[in-house]
């Protein structure tokens, strides 16, 4: 059953490689000061980019912008980065990777800094995994680091170098900015942006505070009826005549999915939980093949119903404004209800709850309709028995509708 899914997944990835990429109207400024309007691949960077891809026209060749040759680039929504050479301390902020040195270990690097606040006092930011740094620029003066560093002492006590507060006290002098406020300010985007905006407003009564649209998580509620192909195999390690496959069946299942679309990387990632009711019944006759006379036949049947609870991660790949593909992986916990296997001349086998993993691909249209194929790896629903084991696998075909 895995072969059809793998083939579909391969086709999905091939389509993705040729899918339309969202290039947005943007601009960049060269080191010589020339402004060039272009189309830039906007991936809504969670971290600062090391470079960006752009085209001068829709059908033009793809080119790359680097901090060494680009002074600035930005988008129509106001998002802006500047290319510059600055001092940066890359000591990790993660507790398990803290340095033992109080002072920053500066190195000169060419970087793209994100412009967080403009005005007479500018605030720039740089973010990477486990690293966040802020920079101060007064007017057109040189860009200076705002020093904050967590470090560990020899006796494993975590301390902080908060030199950035003194720098702000010496620089942002205005009636609306109190020394007490700066003395207690935190090294976060939210608090520093508010401080710089208030200082700029103090220095220029005509200064307008930009309030960019806040990126928020989006909540989707899906109704997901499915057609499913079920396969089940039972095995006994002591008596091989009790190792056989039940006939494959086609069934229906019904689920609802709660999906949380994350507010970065252009809404390409989401997490979901999808409670689903499923029921599988099958029966067959089996000819005994060991220590029994030829032609001896016994009956076997299974009744298996449960609530499955997949919890997973999904990645979207946009084809155009109306369509997108998705790939996903989920951990599935199964809650059984009055389920058992009956085999002649043996005690009934009680089916127990267990877990497995699922992988899927899908297509979404207008963010309202979705078609999805999901394959579940074999689940052993006789895990509590010593000599009995089983493999329950499903291939689900879902046509979903977004309710919310």
């Amino acid at each position: 059953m895995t072969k059809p899914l793998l083939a579909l997944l391969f086709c999905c990835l091939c389509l993705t490689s040729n899918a339309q990429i969202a290039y947005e109207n943007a601009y960049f400024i060269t080191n010589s000061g020339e402004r060039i309007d272009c189309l830039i691949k906007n991936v809504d960077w969670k971290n600062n980019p090391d470079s960006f891809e752009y085209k001068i026209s829709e059908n033009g060749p793809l080119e790359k912008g680097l901090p060494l040759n680009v002074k600035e680039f930005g988008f129509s929504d106001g998002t802006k980065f500047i290319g510059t050479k600055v001092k940066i301390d890359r000591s990790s902020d993660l507790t398990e990777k803290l340095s033992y040195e109080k002072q920053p270990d500066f190195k000169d690097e060419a970087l793209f800094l994100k412009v967080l606040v403009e005005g007479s006092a500018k605030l720039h930011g740089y973010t990477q995994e486990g690293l966040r740094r802020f920079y101060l620029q007064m007017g057109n003066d040189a860009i200076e680091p705002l020093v904050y560093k967590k470090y560990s002492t020899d006796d494993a006590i975590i301390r902080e170098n908060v030199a950035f507060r003194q720098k702000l006290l010496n620089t942002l002098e205005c009636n609306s900015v109190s020394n007490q406020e700066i003395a207690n300010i935190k090294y976060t985007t939210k608090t520093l942006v508010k401080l710089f905006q208030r200082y700029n407003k103090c220095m220029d009564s005509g200064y307008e505070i930009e309030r960019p649209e806040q990126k928020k998580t989006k909540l989707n509620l899906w109704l997901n009826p499915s057609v499913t192909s079920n396969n089940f195999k039972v095995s006994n390690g002591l008596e091989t005549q009790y190792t056989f496959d039940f006939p494959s069946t086609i069934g229906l299942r019904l689920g609802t999915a709660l999906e949380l679309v994350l507010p970065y990387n252009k809404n390409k990632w989401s997490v979901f939980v999808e409670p689903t009711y499923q029921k599988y019944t099958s029966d067959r006759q089996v000819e005994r093949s060991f220590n029994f006379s030829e032609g001896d036949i016994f009956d076997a049947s299974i009744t298996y119903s449960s609530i499955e609870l997949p919890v997973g991660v999904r990645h979207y790949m946009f084809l155009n404004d109306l369509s997108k593909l998705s790939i996903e992986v989920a951990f599935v916990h199964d809650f059984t209800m009055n389920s058992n296997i009956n085999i002649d001349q043996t005690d009934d086998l009680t089916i127990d709850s267990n877990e497995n993993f699922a992988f899927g691909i899908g297509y979404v249209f207008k963010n309202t309709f979705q078609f999805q194929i999901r394959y579940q790896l074999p689940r052993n629903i006789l895990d509590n028995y010593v000599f009995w084991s089983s493999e329950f696998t499903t291939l689900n075909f879902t046509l979903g509708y977004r309710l919310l």
Side-chain angles (χ1 to χ4, degrees):
M1 189 180 294
T2 58
K3 291 181 179 179
L5 185 69
L6 291 175
L8 284 169
L9 182 58
F10 177 76
C11 291
C12 177
L13 294 176
C14 289
L15 285 170
T16 302
S17 64
N18 295 313
Q20 176 181 333
I21 299 174
Y23 283 84
E24 298 184 8
N25 291 326
Y27 73 92
F28 68 90
I29 300 175
T30 66
N31 287 336
S32 62
E34 180 185 6
R35 177 187 169 112
I36 299 176
D37 292 324
C38 62
L39 298 168
I40 294 180
K41 181 183 177 182
N42 186 357
V43 296
D44 195 23
W45 296 280
K46 180 183 177 183
N47 298 323
N48 288 49
D50 299 320
S51 63
F52 65 91
E53 296 179 351
Y54 70 93
K55 300 185 290 187
I56 300 302
S57 63
E58 187 68 43
N59 298 318
L62 193 61
E63 301 183 65
K64 181 177 287 189
L66 299 169
L68 287 174
N69 52 37
V70 172
K71 186 176 181 180
E72 176 182 313
F73 76 93
F75 299 90
S76 57
D77 64 357
T79 301
K80 183 191 298 186
F81 293 88
I82 59 171
T84 184
K85 194 170 185 178
V86 293
K87 295 183 180 298
I88 184 167
D89 171 27
R90 289 192 175 274
S91 303
S92 177
D93 294 333
L94 300 176
T95 301
E96 63 273 16
K97 296 182 180 180
L98 291 181
S99 166
Y100 288 93
E101 297 295 329
K102 177 180 179 180
Q103 298 304 320
D105 180 20
F106 283 129
K107 289 182 172 57
D108 291 328
E109 294 186 30
L111 304 172
F112 279 126
L113 302 181
K114 187 172 185 178
V115 179
L116 300 175
V117 177
E118 296 197 83
S120 56
K122 300 182 182 69
L123 176 67
H124 307 303
Y126 182 81
T127 302
Q128 291 292 330
E129 292 299 330
L131 183 72
R132 177 170 295 173
R133 300 290 182 261
F134 296 102
Y135 291 83
L136 164 72
Q137 184 181 19
M138 299 301 294
N140 294 319
D141 293 346
I143 298 174
E144 301 180 79
L146 292 172
V147 175
Y148 171 81
K149 182 177 180 180
K150 291 172 67 175
Y151 63 97
S152 180
T153 62
D154 292 336
D155 50 357
I157 296 176
I158 297 176
R159 299 192 184 279
E160 296 176 307
N161 178 345
V162 291
F164 78 98
R165 291 175 179 167
Q166 187 61 52
K167 181 67 177 178
L168 295 175
L169 279 170
N170 296 339
T171 308
L172 304 184
E173 296 182 310
C174 193
N175 292 334
S176 65
V177 179
S178 69
N179 291 348
Q180 184 64 33
E181 178 186 3
I182 293 179
N184 295 309
I185 195 168
K186 296 180 179 179
Y187 198 76
T188 65
T189 301
K190 183 177 180 180
T191 55
L192 289 173
V193 164
K194 286 184 177 180
L195 176 68
F196 274 66
Q197 288 176 338
R198 193 159 61 255
Y199 171 81
N200 288 331
K201 185 72 173 177
C202 178
M203 299 300 292
D204 178 7
S205 59
Y207 177 81
E208 294 185 3
I209 296 177
E210 297 183 6
R211 302 188 184 279
E213 181 181 351
Q214 295 296 316
K215 298 175 182 178
K216 298 180 180 179
T217 55
K218 298 178 181 178
L219 191 63
N220 294 330
L221 178 63
W222 294 88
L223 178 65
N224 288 341
S226 304
V227 175
T228 180
S229 173
N230 304 301
N231 288 271
F232 183 66
K233 177 181 180 180
V234 64
S235 303
N236 187 292
L238 293 181
E239 299 183 71
T240 57
Q241 70 269 22
Y242 292 133
T243 297
F244 54 87
D245 294 317
F246 280 90
S248 298
T249 64
I250 301 298
L252 298 176
R253 58 172 59 202
L254 181 64
T256 58
L258 194 64
E259 179 186 29
L260 194 66
V261 182
L262 303 179
Y264 56 83
N265 198 221
K266 306 297 285 185
N267 300 126
K268 290 183 178 180
W269 290 94
S270 70
V271 294
F272 65 90
V273 58
E274 186 175 346
T276 302
Y277 173 76
Q278 70 86 28
K279 185 174 183 179
Y280 167 67
T281 60
S282 185
D283 59 74
R284 65 163 294 177
Q285 291 184 322
V286 183
E287 184 174 353
R288 301 183 192 271
S289 58
F290 180 70
N291 285 344
F292 289 89
S293 60
E294 184 177 353
D296 191 8
I297 293 175
F298 64 92
D299 294 322
S301 63
I302 176 174
T303 300
Y304 174 30
S305 59
S306 67
I307 299 293
E308 292 182 344
L309 190 65
V311 179
V313 178
R314 180 175 294 138
H315 178 62
Y316 287 110
M317 298 159 287
F318 293 92
L319 301 175
N320 51 50
D321 291 340
L322 298 178
S323 303
K324 56 187 176 182
L325 300 175
S326 66
I327 56 175
E328 64 182 43
V329 60
F331 175 78
V332 184
H333 188 81
D334 180 65
F335 300 91
T336 59
M337 301 182 295
N338 299 323
S339 301
N340 62 74
I341 301 170
N342 179 270
I343 301 174
D344 283 354
Q345 300 181 23
T346 68
D347 294 333
D348 286 356
L349 302 174
T350 301
I351 294 175
D352 297 300
S353 299
N354 211 338
E355 301 85 20
N356 62 334
F357 284 91
F359 302 90
I361 58 176
Y363 170 77
V364 181
F365 182 65
K366 290 186 176 180
N367 204 34
T368 302
F369 303 97
Q370 71 171 349
F371 175 71
Q372 185 183 76
I373 301 174
R374 180 184 293 166
Y375 173 71
Q376 293 196 26
L377 297 179
R379 178 192 303 151
N380 183 8
I381 56 178
L382 297 176
D383 197 39
N384 285 346
Y385 291 89
V386 177
F387 299 112
W388 289 98
S389 64
S390 64
E391 292 183 3
F392 180 71
T393 57
T394 63
L395 183 62
N396 306 322
F397 300 87
T398 300
L399 185 62
Y401 177 76
R402 187 168 69 89
L403 301 173
L404 177 66

